[in-house]
C-alpha cells in the first residue's frame, strides 16, 4: 500500500514536471508545476519529513507559485506561438545530453551508496528540525534572514517607478 | 590564550560590520576611532600572545566554528598561531594599526570615509584570517576577502573612470592567480581528502615522493596563485596601477601586507615546495627576473607612487628569490623589514603628495607640509633602508641574508649576480627619487600643512626601519642571529657558503648601495639638464607588459575568431566557389562521378569545419540563454563522465 | 520500504527534466519553472539522504534551499516583469543586447 | 485493515462530509435571516416552516440550471477551479477535534496542514478568475491572490504564538493545553487571526475580489449553476472552518463546565459565526490600498511584536 502510494506519487511528480516541457500555455505550465510540487510534498511526507511537506505546500505552492501565476496574469501572457520543443529542430542534442547526465547521476548514486541494512522510514519530527535549525545552524538562519531582507530591498528598488 | 585567538581577525571584522551597518549614525571621528580601536585590539591580542609565550611554545589553536559536518569532512573556522603566522600577524596588525592612525588625519576631508574604514577594517580582518587559518579553505576565504578589499580600495575614488578601471584590473589579474590557487587546493583535497594544514603536511611528506609529478603540479598551481597576489612576473601588471587608491591603502595593502600574502603562502606550504626542486628553482628564477624588472622600471618613473610600486614588485622579488633558494626564514625577515620601510616610504609620500595638492610628479613635488626636516629624515631613512645602506639600516641585514644564501643554491652564482645588480639599481632609483624630491625643496610653498597625527606613525616606522635589522646579523658577523635560530624549528637552517666567500660577497653587496647613491647623484644632476635614460619609455611603461597583454591576450581571441570567419568567407567567395565549379565542370567533363563525389565532399567538409569553428567561437557569447544552459549541461556531462570514468 | 536509490532516481529525473526545460523552452517564465524543478530535484535528494541517515540536516538544507529559491525567484520575477515592460516580450532569444559582436573588434 | 474497517471509515467520512454540506447550506439560510433581522425585514420565510426549506429550494434551483461554459474560457481550468475552494476547506476539517476523542485524524503537523490547505485555496479563486477570460473576473482573481498572500503571513505568525504556548502543532494537543483559553493569553493573536480569517474567506469588509458594485461579481461573474454553488458553498465552509479553528485554537475548543464537549464547541462556533454575520451588516468595504496597507503595515508588525513578546515571556516565565 505504502509503496503503491509512493510510486504513484513519484510518477505524478515526474509526469507533471515533464508536462511543463510540452505545454504552450504558461498558466497550464505553472499549474503542472504546482501539481508536481504538491506531489513532491506528499513524497516528502512519505519519506518521513512532515514539516518539510507542509512547508513545501505553504511556501512553494502557496506563495511562490501564486506569485508566479500572479505575474503571468498581470502580464496577461497568452499561449506562446513558440514551436514546441519536439517540433523544433534543436531538441535532440539537449535531450541526449540530459539523458546522459541522468545516467551519469544514476551511476554516481549507485556507485556511492551501499544499500542500507534496515529500510524502515523514521519520521523526523519538526521539533528535531527546529532544534537543529536554531542550534548548530543558527548562524546560517541569520544569514538566510539577511538574504531575504536583501532580496526584499532589491525587489522594492527594482519595482519603483522612478529608479535612481 | 587559546580562547582569545578569534579576537585577532574578529575585532576588525566586527568593527567593519558595525561601520557598515550602523555607520550612518556615527560621525567621522567615531568611525575612525572605532576602526583604529579594532586594529589596536587585534594588535594588543597579538602582544598578549607574545607575552604568553606564543613565541616558544606549541602553536596556539582555536576552532571557532564548524561550517558543516558531513561524514568525516568538517570544514572549520580554525585558527592556528605558530611562529610563521606569529611573524605575519605581528607585522600585519602592527603596521595596520599605524596606518589606521595615519588614516585618521589623511581621510578627514573625504566624504566616503565610512566606505574607506569599512574596507580597511575588513581588509585587516581578512588578512589576519588568511595568516591565522589552519586550513586551506579558510585561508582561501581570507585570500579572496583581501582581494575584494583591495579591489574596492584601489577603486576607492571610483568616480574617476581611470581609478575604477585600475581596481578592476587588479581584481581580474589577481583572479587568474586565484583560480590557479583554487585548482591547487582542489588537487590537494582530491588527493588527501583534507584541507587542514598540519594533517596535510604529514600526508604530503608521507605519500608523495620527492620530484613526483603531482607534487610539482600542485606546487606550481599554488605558486601561480602566489604570483598573482604578490605581483610577480607575469602577473605584476596590476600593482603599478593599484596606486590609484589612497596612499595609506597603498602602504598597507600594496606594500606591507597583502602583496606579501604570496610569500607567506609559499613559506607556509614549504613542505610541498621542498619536494619539487624544479618548482623551487622556478620560484627563485621568477623572483630574480622580477627584481630586475621592478628595479629597472622604477628607474624611469616620474610618478612618486609608481616608483614605490615598482620598487615593491622588485623587493617581493627578493623574497621569492629567498623562498626559491630555501631560505624561508630570510624571506620572512625581508618581508618584515620591507613592511616597515616600504610603508614608511609610502606614508611619507602620501603626506608629501597631500601637502602638494595631489601632485604626483617627482620633478614638481616641492612642498613638504611644514615638517620639512621630518619628511626629509623619514624619506631618507626609508630610502636608505630600501637601498640597504650597510650596517645602519634594517634593509641591509635582510637583503644581505638573502644574498648570502642565494650563492650555494643551484645556478646560485647567476641569481646572485642578478640580485646584486638589482641592489645597485634599487639604490640608484630610490636615491634618484630622493635627490629629485629634496634637493630643491624650497621651490614651492606649503599648500596645506601635514597633520600632527600623521607624523607619529612615520616616526615609529622610521625607528623600526633602522632597528628591526639588529635581530639577525649576517653570517660570520659577531652579532646575534636570533631570527634564524628562532625559526629553525619551522624551516630548518639555511646553508651558506664558506666564510671566506661570504665575506667577499658581503663586501661587494654592501659597496653596491653606496655606489648606487653616487650614481644617482650624478644622474639627477644630468637629468636636470634634460638628459633622459636610454630606453626610458620602455622602462616607464613597465617593459610594455600592458600593451603586450592587450595585443596578445585580448586581441588574440578576436583575431582567432576573425581568422576563422575570414578564411571561411575567403574560401567560399574567392576560391571555393570557383574551385568547386571548376571541379564540377571538370568532373562532368570527365564523367567520373567518383572524383566529383570525393573532391566536392572533401572540400565541403573542410569548409563546414571552418564554418563550424567560426560559428562556435562567435556564438560563445551569442546571448542565448538556452545555448548557455546547453553549454553548462555539456560541461557537467563531460566533467561528471570524466570523473566517473 | 522505499530504498534510498529509488528516491534518488526520481530526484535525478526531476533534475534532468528541469535542465531539459531550461535548455529547450524559450520563454523566460518557462526557464524559471525549469529552475524550480531542478531545485526540487535537489531538495528531494537532500531529504531522501537525510532520512537515510536519520539526520535532520537534510531537512535543514532543504529549508535553506527554499529560502534561497524564494529570494531568487522574487528578484527573477521582478526582472522578468521589467523586461516585459521594457521590451514587451519574455522570449529569452530576444534578450541578447549584451552579446559580444566580433565584427566590432576588440574593446 | 479489514473490509469492514474500511467501510466504517468511509461511512464516517461520508457522514462528516454530508453534515458539513448541510451545515453550510443552512448557514446561508441563517445568514439571510439574521441579516434581515438586523435590517428590520423578514428574509426568506416562504419555503417550509419559517422558510427552513429555503436552502433545499436554492439547491434544486442551482442544480437544475444549465451547465454553461463560455466559449472564450479555458475549459479544463474553468471546470476545476470551483472545486478547489470547498475541497481545501473540507479537507482541513479532518484535523479539527470536536470533542475529547472526536476527530478524524491527529497528525503532528495539523496546524501547518491547515495553513497549507488554506494557502492552496487561493488557486480556486485565482484560476476561476483567469479561466473565465474576461475583464472583471481577472481583476477579482488578481485581487484575491494579492489579498490572500498578504493576509496569510500575519495569520501564520499569529498562530505561532499559540504553538509556542502549547508546544505542539497538533490541534488535539493545543486544545488539551488550554486549561485557560488562549484568548486570554493571546488577545492580540486572536484578533489578528480573526481579521485574517475574514480576509481569507473574502467576507465583508474584505470582499474585494467579488465586490458587487466594482467588479460585477468578481471572480464568479461568468459562473453559473452548480459551479457557482460550489464557490458559494466554499465561502461558507471557509467561514465555518475559521470559526472552528478560532474555537479550537483560542477559545478552548470543547473545554467547558456542565455541558458535553460537543455542545460547548457548537456554542462557541455559533457565537463566532453570528459575529461574522453581524460584521457583514455593519462594516463598509475597504478600499484596495487600505486593505493592503492595513495588512502589511498594521497586522504584520502587530503579529511580529505579539510573537516576540510571547517568545520572551515564554522563555523567562514558563521555562525559568
Amino acid at each position: 500500500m505504502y509503496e503503491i502510494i509512493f510510486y504513484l506519487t513519484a510518477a505524478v511528480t515526474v509526469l507533471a514536471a515533464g508536462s511543463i516541457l510540452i505545454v504552450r500555455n504558461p498558466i497550464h505550465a505553472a499549474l503542472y508545476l504546482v501539481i508536481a510540487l504538491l506531489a513532491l510534498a506528499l513524497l516528502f511526507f512519505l519519506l518521513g519529513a512532515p514539516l518539510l511537506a507542509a512547508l513545501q505546500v505553504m511556501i512553494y505552492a502557496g506563495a511562490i507559485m501564486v506569485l508566479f501565476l500572479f505575474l503571468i496574469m498581470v502580464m496577461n501572457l497568452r499561449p506562446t506561438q513558440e514551436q514546441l520543443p519536439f517540433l523544433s529542430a534543436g531538441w535532440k542534442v539537449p535531450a541526449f545530453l540530459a539523458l546522459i547526465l541522468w545516467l551519469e547521476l544514476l551511476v554516481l548514486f549507485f556507485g556511492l551508496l551501499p544499500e542500507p541494512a534496515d529500510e524502515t522510514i523514521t519520521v523526523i519530527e519538526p521539533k528535531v528540525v527546529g532544534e537543529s535549525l536554531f542550534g548548530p545552524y543558527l548562524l546560517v538562519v541569520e544569514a538566510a534572514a539577511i538574504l531575504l531582507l536583501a532580496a526584499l530591498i532589491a525587489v522594492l528598488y527594482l519595482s519603483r517607478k522612478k529608479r535612481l | 590564550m587559546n580562547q582569545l585567538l578569534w579576537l585577532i581577525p574578529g575585532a576588525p571584522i566586527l568593527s567593519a560590520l558595525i561601520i557598515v551597518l550602523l555607520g550612518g549614525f556615527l560621525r567621522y571621528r567615531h568611525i575612525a576611532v572605532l576602526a583604529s580601536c579594532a586594529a589596536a585590539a587585534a594588535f594588543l591580542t597579538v602582544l598578549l600572545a607574545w607575552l604568553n609565550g606564543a613565541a616558544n611554545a606549541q602553536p596556539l589553536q582555536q576552532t571557532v566554528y564548524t561550517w558543516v559536518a558531513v561524514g568525516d569532512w568538517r570544514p572549520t573556522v580554525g585558527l592556528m598561531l605558530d611562529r610563521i603566522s606569529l611573524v605575519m600577524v605581528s607585522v600585519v596588525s602592527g603596521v595596520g594599526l599605524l596606518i589606521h592612525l595615519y588614516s585618521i588625519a589623511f581621510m578627514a576631508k573625504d566624504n566616503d570615509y565610512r566606505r574607506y574604514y569599512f574596507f580597511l577594517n575588513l581588509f585587516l580582518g581578512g588578512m589576519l584570517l588568511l595568516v591565522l587559518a589552519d586550513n586551506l579553505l579558510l585561508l582561501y576565504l581570507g585570500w579572496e576577502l583581501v582581494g575584494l578589499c583591495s579591489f574596492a580600495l584601489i577603486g576607492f575614488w571610483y568616480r574617476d573612470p581611470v581609478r575604477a578601471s585600475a581596481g578592476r584590473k587588479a581584481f581580474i589579474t589577481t583572479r587568474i592567480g586565484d583560480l590557479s590557487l583554487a585548482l591547487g587546493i582542489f588537487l590537494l583535497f582530491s588527493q588527501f581528502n583534507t584541507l587542514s594544514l598540519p594533517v596535510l603536511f604529514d600526508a604530503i611528506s608521507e605519500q608523495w615522493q620527492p620530484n613526483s609529478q603531482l607534487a610539482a603540479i600542485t606546487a606550481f598551481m599554488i605558486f601561480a596563485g602566489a604570483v598573482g597576489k604578490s605581483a610577480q612576473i607575469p602577473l605584476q601588471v596590476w600593482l603599478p596601477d593599484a596606486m590609484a587608491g589612497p596612499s595609506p591603502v597603498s602602504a598597507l595593502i600594496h606594500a606591507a601586507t597583502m602583496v606579501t600574502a604570496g610569500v607567506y603562502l609559499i613559506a607556509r606550504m614549504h613542505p610541498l615546495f621542498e619536494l619539487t626542486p624544479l618548482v623551487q628553482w622556478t620560484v627563485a628564477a621568477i623572483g630574480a627576473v622580477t627584481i630586475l624588472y621592478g628595479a629597472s622600471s622604477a628607474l624611469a618613473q616620474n610618478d612618486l607612487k609608481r616608483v614605490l610600486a615598482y620598487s615593491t614588485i622588485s623587493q617581493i622579488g627578493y623574497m621569492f628569490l629567498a623562498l626559491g633558494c630555501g631560505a624561508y626564514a630570510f624571506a620572512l625577515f625581508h618581508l618584515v623589514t620591507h613592511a616597515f620601510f616600504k610603508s614608511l616610504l609610502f606614508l611619507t609620500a602620501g603626506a608629501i603628495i597631500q601637502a602638494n595638492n595631489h601632485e604626483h610628479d617627482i620633478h614638481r613635488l616641492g612642498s613638504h607640509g611644514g615638517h620639512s626636516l621630518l619628511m626629509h629624515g623619514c624619506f631618507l631613512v626609508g630610502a636608505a633602508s630600501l637601498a640597504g645602506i650597510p650596517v645602519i639600516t634594517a634593509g641591509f641585514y635582510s637583503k644581505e641574508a638573502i644574498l648570502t644564501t642565494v650563492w650555494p643554491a643551484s645556478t646560485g652564482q647567476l641569481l646572485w649576480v642578478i640580485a646584486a645588480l638589482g641592489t645597485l639599481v634599487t639604490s640608484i632609483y630610490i636615491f634618484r627619487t630622493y635627490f629629485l624630491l629634496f634637493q630643491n625643496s624650497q621651490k614651492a610653498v606649503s599648500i596645506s600643512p601635514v597633520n600632527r597625527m600623521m607624523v607619529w606613525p612615520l616616526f615609529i616606522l622610521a625607528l623600526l626601519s633602522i632597528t628591526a635589522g639588529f635581530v639577525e646579523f649576517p653570517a660570520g658577523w659577531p652579532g646575534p642571529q636570533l631570527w634564524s635560530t628562532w625559526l629553525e624549528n619551522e624551516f630548518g637552517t639555511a646553508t651558506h657558503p664558506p666564510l671566506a666567500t661570504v665575506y667577499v660577497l658581503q663586501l661587494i653587496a654592501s659597496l653596491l648601495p653606496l655606489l648606487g647613491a653616487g650614481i644617482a647623484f650624478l644622474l639627477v644632476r644630468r637629468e636636470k639638464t634634460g638628459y633622459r635614460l636610454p630606453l626610458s619609455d620602455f622602462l616607464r611603461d613597465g617593459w610594455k607588459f600592458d600593451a603586450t597583454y592587450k595585443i596578445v591576450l585580448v586581441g588574440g581571441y578576436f583575431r582567432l575568431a576573425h581568422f576563422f570567419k575570414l578564411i571561411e568567407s575567403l574560401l567560399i567567395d574567392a576560391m571555393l566557389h570557383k574551385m568547386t565549379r571548376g571541379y564540377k565542370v571538370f568532373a562532368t567533363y570527365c564523367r567520373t562521378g567518383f572524383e566529383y563525389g570525393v573532391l566536392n565532399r572533401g572540400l565541403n567538409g573542410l569548409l563546414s569545419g571552418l564554418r563550424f569553428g567560426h560559428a562556435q567561437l562567435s556564438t560563445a557569447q551569442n546571448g542565448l540563454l538556452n545555448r548557455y544552459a546547453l553549454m553548462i549541461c555539456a560541461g557537467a556531462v563531460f566533467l561528471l563522465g570524466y570523473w566517473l570514468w | 520500504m522505499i530504498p534510498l536509490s529509488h528516491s534518488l532516481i526520481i530526484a535525478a529525473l526531476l533534475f534532468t527534466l528541469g535542465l531539459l526545460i531550461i535548455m529547450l523552452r524559450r520563454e523566460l517564465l518557462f526557464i524559471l519553472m525549469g529552475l524550480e524543478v531542478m531545485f526540487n530535484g535537489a531538495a528531494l535528494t537532500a531529504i531522501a539522504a537525510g532520512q537515510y541517515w536519520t539526520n535532520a540536516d537534510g531537512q535543514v538544507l532543504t529549508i535553506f534551499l527554499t529560502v534561497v529559491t524564494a529570494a531568487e525567484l522574487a528578484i527573477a520575477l521582478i526582472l522578468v516583469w521589467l523586461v516585459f515592460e521594457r521590451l514587451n516580450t519574455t522570449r529569452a532569444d530576444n534578450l541578447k543586447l549584451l552579446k559580444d559582436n566580433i565584427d566590432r573588434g576588440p574593446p | 485493515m479489514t473490509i469492514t474497517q474500511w467501510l466504517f471509515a468511509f461511512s464516517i467520512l461520508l457522514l462528516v462530509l454530508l453534515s458539513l454540506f448541510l451545515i453550510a447550506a443552512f448557514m446561508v439560510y441563517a445568514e439571510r435571516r439574521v441579516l434581515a433581522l438586523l435590517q428590520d425585514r423578514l428574509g426568506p420565510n416562504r419555503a417550509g416552516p419559517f422558510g427552513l426549506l429555503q436552502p433545499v429550494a436554492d439547491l434544486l434551483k442551482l442544480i437544475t440550471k444549465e451547465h454553461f461554459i463560455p466559449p472564450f474560457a479555458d475549459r479544463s481550468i474553468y471546470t476545476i477551479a470551483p472545486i478547489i475552494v470547498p475541497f481545501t476547506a473540507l479537507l482541513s476539517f479532518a484535523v479539527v477535534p470536536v470533542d475529547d476523542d472526536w476527530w478524524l485524524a491527529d497528525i503532528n503537523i495539523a496546524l501547518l496542514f491547515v495553513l497549507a490547505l488554506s494557502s492552496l485555496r487561493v488557486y480556486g479563486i485565482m484560476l476561476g478568475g483567469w479561466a473565465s477570460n474576461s475583464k472583471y473576473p481577472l481583476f477579482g482573481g488578481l485581487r484575491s491572490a494579492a489579498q490572500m498572500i498578504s493576509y496569510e503571513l500575519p495569520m501564520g505568525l499569529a498562530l505561532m504564538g499559540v504553538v509556542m504556548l502549547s508546544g505542539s502543532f497538533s490541534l488535539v494537543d493545543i486544545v488539551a493545553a488550554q486549561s485557560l483559553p488562549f484568548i486570554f493569553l493571546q488577545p492580540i493573536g486572536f484578533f489578528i487571526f480573526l481579521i485574517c480569517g475574514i480576509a481569507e474567506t473574502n467576507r465583508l469588509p474584505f470582499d474585494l475580489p467579488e465586490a458587487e458594485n466594482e467588479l460585477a461579481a468578481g471572480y464568479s461573474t461568468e459562473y453559473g449553476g452548480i459551479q457557482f454553488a460550489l464557490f458559494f458553498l466554499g465561502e461558507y465552509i471557509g467561514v465555518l472552518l475559521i470559526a472552528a479553528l478560532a474555537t479550537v485554537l483560542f477559545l478552548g475548543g470543547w473545554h467547558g463546565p456542565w455541558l458535553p464537549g460537543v455542545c460547548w464547541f457548537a456554542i462557541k462556533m455559533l457565537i463566532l459565526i453570528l459575529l461574522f454575520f453581524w460584521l457583514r451588516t455593519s462594516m463598509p468595504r475597504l478600499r484596495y490600498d487600505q486593505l493592503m496597507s492595513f495588512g502589511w503595515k498594521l497586522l504584520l508588525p502587530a503579529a511580529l511584536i505579539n510573537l516576540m513578546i510571547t517568545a520572551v515571556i515564554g522563555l523567562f516565565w514558563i521555562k525559568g
Side-chain angles (χ1 to χ4, degrees), chain B residues 562 565 621 626 630 633, chain C residues 22 25-26 99-100 102-103:
Chain B
H562 266 300
K565 196 182 178 188
Q621 293 196 352
N626 307 78
L630 185 67
C633 180
Chain C
I22 293 178
R25 298 308 299 248
R26 297 285 192 263
K99 90 167 205 174
D100 221 343
I102 65 158
D103 295 330

Side-chain angles (χ1 to χ4, degrees), chain B residues 69 550 554-555 558 561-562 565 614 618 621-626 629-630 633, chain C residues 19 22-26 28 31 92-93 95-96 99-100 102-103 105-107:
Chain B
K550 179 147 189 169
V554 182
F558 282 91
H562 266 300
K565 196 182 178 188
H614 160 241
S618 63
Q621 293 196 352
N622 62 357
L624 292 180
L625 207 53
N626 307 78
L630 185 67
C633 180
Chain C
L19 193 60
I22 293 178
M23 284 191 286
L24 289 180
R25 298 308 299 248
R26 297 285 192 263
L28 279 181
I31 290 173
D93 288 3
L95 308 175
K96 44 183 185 183
K99 90 167 205 174
D100 221 343
I102 65 158
D103 295 330

Side-chain angles (χ1 to χ4, degrees), chain B residues 43-116:
Chain B
F43 183 61
L44 285 179
T45 318
V46 174
L47 278 189
L48 207 62
W50 276 98
L51 290 179
N52 272 298
N56 41 29
Q58 285 292 99
L60 298 175
Q61 278 182 324
Q62 185 188 11
T63 302
V64 183
Y65 181 71
T66 304
W67 290 112
V68 65
V70 178
D72 56 349
W73 186 61
R74 22 177 76 244
T76 58
V77 179
L79 305 178
M80 180 176 74
L81 188 67
D82 62 358
R83 292 184 184 183
I84 309 176
S85 37
L86 190 58
V87 172
M88 292 299 291
V89 163
S90 312
V91 172
V92 171
S93 60
V95 176
L97 174 61
L98 289 177
I99 286 170
H100 270 84
L101 293 177
Y102 179 89
S103 298
I104 296 179
F106 190 87
M107 295 305 288
K109 297 205 175 59
D110 201 298
N111 281 331
D112 280 330
Y113 54 85
R114 191 171 150 200
R115 189 155 50 88
Y116 176 81

Side-chain angles (χ1 to χ4, degrees), chain A residues 1 25 27-28 31 34 38 45 50-51 54 57-58 61-63 65-67 69-70 73-74 76 78 125-127, chain D residues 6 74 76-77 108-109 112-113 115-117 119-120 122-123 126-127 130 133 138 142 145-146 149 152 167 169:
Chain A
M1 185 70 191
N25 194 330
I27 292 264
H28 288 186
L31 286 180
V34 172
L38 292 180
F45 189 81
L51 178 68
V57 179
M58 276 167 72
M65 287 317 292
V66 171
L67 261 185
L69 276 179
F70 192 83
M73 286 188 186
V74 170
N76 209 2
R78 289 294 149 186
E125 301 282 329
K127 202 170 227 167
Chain D
W6 278 106
D74 189 315
S76 47
I77 295 182
N108 56 358
I109 51 157
L112 290 177
F113 179 73
L115 279 176
L117 281 174
S119 70
L120 286 186
V122 65
Y123 280 108
M126 255 180 109
L127 292 175
W130 180 81
N133 201 1
L138 184 64
L142 286 180
I149 289 187
E152 205 155 90
F169 280 126

